Amino acid sequence: MEFDLWAQLPSVLPEIGVTALAVVVLFADCYGSQATRRNVVYISALAMALLALVPLIWLPDPALYENGALLWGGMVNYDPLAQIFKVMLLLGGAVTCVLAAGDRGVGDKGEFYLIVIIATLGGMMMSSASDLILVFVALETLSIPLYMLASFRRGDARSAESGMKYFLYGAFASAIMLFGFSLLYGFTGATNLAAIADSLNSLGDGLLVVMAALVMVVLGFGFKIGAVPFHFWTPDVYEGAPTPVTAFVSVSSKAASFALLLRFMTAVFPADLVIAGVAIHDFWINLLVVISILSMTLGNIVALRQTNIKRLLAYSSIAQAGYTLIGVAALQGAEPGLAVASVSFYMFMYIFTNLLVFGGAILFIDKTDSEEISDLAGLNRRSPWLALFLTIGLLSLGGIPPTAGFFGKFFLFQAAVNANLVGLALIAVTNAIIALYYYLVVIKVMYVDVGPDDDVAIGIPRVYGWSLGITALVVILLGTIAVTPIYDWAILGAAGL
């Protein structure tokens, strides 16, 4: 078939734009004037926000993605699911850049924004990858910049330690996942995800090898999303890395990994795959159910005892990964489209919610040099707007209306019930109640407790305040009037699978 460049170009326009932005930021930081270097943060944030419009303008043809739109030699999948995750990753990167501007030791470094842009590019590639080669290249394009960001403060021992731990654990997980890929390729002779599934369907034997490959791939994804028992890096990296980096890692790696996880598992191990009389689909669904329960339970229980705000958010992130896995496990139900939509919507709201909480934490830590929850005492009197922003974010993480987290959890639990995973839904509801306790404790400290510096005001820079305000508004809108259009968009994204 003749290759039509102009017909296939829209599928990678956002990636081309981000690559061009990386080049512009590199040259602006290296060769620009002092004023230009100071404005790199705004160039990066504004450009990524504008690039987020590209997937909305150039939408894939429904007739195309319903038949499986594999472009660029079968490497790239052009469908609404990829577009949704590209939009959320670009917006997450834009907000991260603005929030990082207020952090000492990070905000004035142009190379920081360049690395964020490259990591965003890797996440976008992951969201549309349909070939093992591109999958691994995209994973490393995301992961390696994140290792660099975790150790960005070279003079800080904690940052260096977190970067080294993240790199060593990440390299180990990537190696195991790559070995799983090699087993799949060795058995099928194909790298395209759909072609692998076709070849596996014709296998009469090799059950143990396929199972081993499946477990290795799940291990790699489990590390990227910070799920139990692959979570051990999360608390130390979250605490030791610069706070803007922690915010970016918590959203970008999760969103991109869940986009790829949905596509990979449904394409390579579909519902009709049976080897030696064993339904592979049932095996990985049950495996994800177990991981989901462990992640929710351990994350929430350990978070109850945390006194450091970043470590609390780390264990909260582990629990959030468990909640999101409910949607992946619900793919076994009669309405898999609802399961895909629930994951997409949850990740969309989670990016803004987590960045809102971390944005407030960045400003507080920068002004007080403290990460202890007890030092948030009296924050409502020191900075009413900052306390309000943190409260909105924490309530959303807890799933309290009218914030976005309420509908995010509702859609996930509904998907579980529709898939006859009622027990999993009940465990998730119980965990949500447990989680609400430690979120409310932080809010109580800010509004009720009395701190020694109650009379010392904490100012919010104008640009920073606008960024937090817009993010908070998005969280509220996603829990009220914007929930229907975004969820409908997510339903449309499920058609690509």
Side-chain angles (χ1 to χ4, degrees), residues 125-165:
M125 292 164 58
M126 284 174 63
S127 67
S128 58
S130 292
D131 190 277
L132 289 181
I133 296 173
L134 183 59
V135 165
F136 191 74
V137 170
L139 276 168
E140 295 309 295
T141 304
L142 172 67
S143 300
I144 293 174
L146 294 183
Y147 304 151
M148 298 166 63
L149 289 175
S151 55
F152 194 81
R153 286 180 176 157
R154 288 167 292 182
D156 187 338
R158 289 199 312 167
S159 180
E161 179 186 356
S162 70
M164 182 57 67
K165 285 182 177 179

Side-chain angles (χ1 to χ4, degrees), residues 363-384:
L363 185 59
F364 177 79
I365 293 169
D366 184 69
K367 298 293 185 181
T368 64
D369 288 322
S370 174
E371 299 175 0
E372 295 300 307
I373 295 173
S374 58
D375 290 331
L376 287 165
L379 182 62
N380 178 51
R381 292 175 286 278
R382 302 178 65 184
S383 181

